[in-house]
Amino acid sequence: MLKAIILIGGPLKGTRFRPLSLDLPKPLFPVAGFPIIQHHIEACQKVEGLKEILLIGFYQPSDAFKTFLSRAQQEFHISIRYLQEYTSLGTAGGLYHFRDVIQSGNPECFFVMNADVCSDFPLTEMVDFHRQRSHACCTMMGTEASREQALNYGCLVENTDTHEVLHYVEKPGTFVSSIINCGVYLFSPEVFKHIATVFARHQEDLPSKDSIRLEQDIFPMLTGDSKLYVYKTQNFWSQIKSAGSAIYANRLYLALYHKTHPDRLAAHGEGMPSIKGDVYIHPSANVDSTAVLGPNVTVGANVTIGPGTRIRESIILDGASIQDHSCILHSIVGWNSTVGAWTRVEGTPSDPNPNIPFAKLDSGELFSEDGRLNPSITILGRNVTIPAEVIVLNSIVLPHKDLPHSYKNQIIL
């Protein structure tokens, strides 16, 4: 039997995801039409012998969480439970706190996945890889990054013949390796012995004891002893750290639908809008046939899109209204927001540099050194109203705002 744990964090995390996370926990934010963690669950559900999925975090169990869990259990016919931490315990602390629940039923091994990871999740391949290494305590999913960007991640040095991890450093100050940790792991139950050892070292240091992390505290002690291995993938991978990275993750998951869910992708047809590239349109959305959507657009439930509208590289959330002949580029339009006719809402993309091999998405800093807002995607929070015939460029608009005129490079509080 196998299990999976998805680490979802809590409301003190994901601050770079605001204002979208003000209305909905970040793990439930829809990317490519479905909550971020549903993509994890769908991947787990395909693994033979995986019987239970546990969500660990310190969000309060809201109506949104309860509704999602109930619907997911019915849809995927698998046990899905939420285990709430009393505070942020760290990636290893949360596992150790709920170790009895995780080990109930004597699972052979269990996945641990960070909720902010966007990937094609080669989980079955990881299981096969792990089983071939009888002494392995953990198999870590890794991928290649550029030399400069690797410093922002956990870096590892491997034995290229056996794929054993010989050295691991979290966010090193100097270059260690271009192979980085992807935040997806497969553990044998033996790992709890190693976590217990770290806890014992912190008996006199309660703050540290309450925030034991896999990356800083556990992985370094597993290296060089045939306990930690890396399964490398060259397929797509990204972290959804900021709202801007959600646009990029949206693109990646839409591309993956060609293999996993081709039925989710919109197609040309009579009475349908013009579709360019990969587009998801919720069945309840009302999109005028003269609109042009794509590439890489997601349209949520009960959205209205008027005639002559052009949308690309954007996410339109539930209940939004995009009126006639407006243009939405590299933006997220919040729940129940309205964009007036002949209005342009545009952001600046932050895609990985195509000229640098293995380059990853840079979340970047919100402000420059002189205090100015750096160009990024435009985000409209919930219930934002934009009048007709204005331009909103590279701006972030907090919820429940009525904009009187055009804005550029501003945060509207």
Side-chain angles (χ1 to χ4, degrees):
M1 181 184 76
L2 305 175
K3 292 189 178 185
I5 293 93
I6 304 174
L7 304 176
I8 64 173
L12 301 181
K13 305 289 185 179
T15 54
R16 284 184 286 175
F17 212 73
R18 294 173 182 171
L20 302 172
S21 57
L22 296 175
D23 294 290
L24 188 71
K26 176 182 167 182
L28 298 184
F29 182 80
V31 173
F34 297 88
I36 291 172
I37 57 173
Q38 180 162 327
H39 298 288
H40 295 62
I41 292 171
E42 289 181 353
C44 290
Q45 191 247 354
K46 297 175 181 178
V47 177
E48 184 177 357
L50 198 149
K51 301 297 184 183
E52 186 174 44
I53 299 173
L54 303 172
L55 312 181
I56 296 180
F58 57 103
Y59 285 101
Q60 291 296 319
S62 63
D63 290 342
F65 259 118
K66 293 175 183 176
T67 300
F68 172 77
L69 291 175
S70 176
R71 180 183 61 79
Q73 291 207 66
Q74 294 177 6
E75 180 176 351
F76 298 108
H77 306 290
I78 192 171
S79 173
I80 305 174
R81 289 194 286 165
Y82 175 45
L83 306 178
Q84 184 184 358
E85 300 171 331
Y86 59 87
T87 186
S88 176
L89 296 176
T91 50
L95 296 179
Y96 195 68
H97 185 71
F98 294 109
R99 61 192 180 278
D100 291 339
V101 179
I102 295 171
Q103 294 183 95
S104 66
N106 296 315
E108 171 194 355
C109 48
F110 57 92
F111 286 100
V112 174
M113 314 164 73
N114 288 318
D116 63 359
V117 170
C118 165
S119 173
D120 60 349
F121 298 116
L123 304 186
T124 297
E125 293 85 346
M126 287 182 68
V127 172
D128 294 338
F129 180 94
H130 189 79
R131 284 171 174 164
Q132 292 168 10
R133 289 153 179 82
S134 58
H135 297 292
C137 177
C138 173
T139 292
M140 170 191 299
M141 190 173 88
T143 194
E144 197 87 13
S146 69
R147 186 182 179 94
E148 294 76 14
Q149 288 183 315
L151 301 177
N152 300 319
Y153 301 93
C155 296
L156 57 99
V157 178
E158 66 162 337
N159 180 320
T160 55
D161 295 325
T162 64
H163 304 294
E164 179 188 354
V165 177
L166 304 176
H167 184 58
Y168 182 88
V169 184
E170 183 67 15
K171 297 181 180 178
T174 59
F175 179 75
V176 172
S177 168
S178 59
I179 304 173
I180 63 170
N181 173 8
C182 290
V184 177
Y185 320 113
L186 182 59
F187 287 107
S188 298
E190 175 194 351
V191 71
F192 289 113
K193 297 179 182 178
H194 299 284
I195 299 176
T197 299
V198 174
F199 267 78
R201 294 175 183 172
H202 292 280
Q203 287 297 322
E204 304 301 323
D205 188 4
L206 291 180
S208 295
K209 181 180 177 181
D210 283 342
S211 59
I212 302 297
R213 295 185 59 80
L214 293 169
E215 299 83 359
Q216 284 94 341
D217 302 301
I218 306 302
F219 292 149
M221 69 183 298
L222 295 179
T223 58
D225 194 26
S226 300
K227 297 294 184 183
L228 180 62
Y229 290 84
V230 58
Y231 176 85
K232 290 191 295 186
T233 176
Q234 296 300 328
N235 295 332
F236 70 66
W237 174 86
S238 180
Q239 279 186 294
I240 309 174
K241 289 293 188 182
S242 63
S245 57
I247 292 288
Y248 186 64
N250 185 64
R251 179 195 304 176
L252 297 181
Y253 277 131
L254 288 172
L256 189 60
Y257 283 169
H258 287 280
K259 181 173 68 174
T260 59
H261 297 284
D263 55 302
R264 291 180 179 175
L265 294 172
H268 294 285
E270 187 176 352
M272 291 288 292
S274 176
I275 303 297
K276 296 181 179 295
D278 299 333
V279 175
Y280 169 84
I281 302 175
H282 191 277
S284 64
N286 181 13
V287 183
D288 191 270
S289 61
T290 62
V292 180
L293 275 58
N296 308 316
V297 169
T298 289
V299 177
N302 302 309
V303 167
T304 300
I305 297 178
T309 300
R310 179 69 175 103
I311 305 176
R312 63 178 296 161
E313 299 285 352
S314 297
I315 298 175
I316 314 299
L317 296 173
D318 297 0
S321 175
I322 313 298
Q323 296 182 2
D324 305 6
H325 304 289
S326 56
C327 181
I328 314 292
L329 308 175
H330 303 285
S331 301
I332 297 178
V333 178
W335 301 273
N336 302 314
S337 291
T338 299
V339 176
W342 297 98
T343 283
R344 186 180 186 91
V345 177
E346 183 176 359
T348 298
S350 56
D351 297 348
N353 189 334
N355 299 314
I356 300 177
F358 309 115
K360 306 302 178 188
L361 182 71
D362 277 324
S363 296
E365 297 296 330
L366 188 59
F367 296 99
S368 62
E369 293 183 358
D370 60 1
R372 296 183 180 183
L373 183 67
N374 283 323
S376 63
I377 70 163
T378 289
I379 305 169
L380 309 183
R382 179 186 292 271
N383 288 322
V384 169
T385 300
I386 299 179
E389 302 180 16
V390 301
I391 297 175
V392 179
L393 177 65
N394 297 335
S395 296
I396 298 174
V397 185
L398 269 66
H400 310 291
K401 303 298 177 186
D402 291 345
L403 303 191
H405 49 72
S406 297
Y407 287 89
K408 177 181 179 181
N409 299 335
Q410 294 192 44
I411 299 178
I412 296 95
L413 301 175

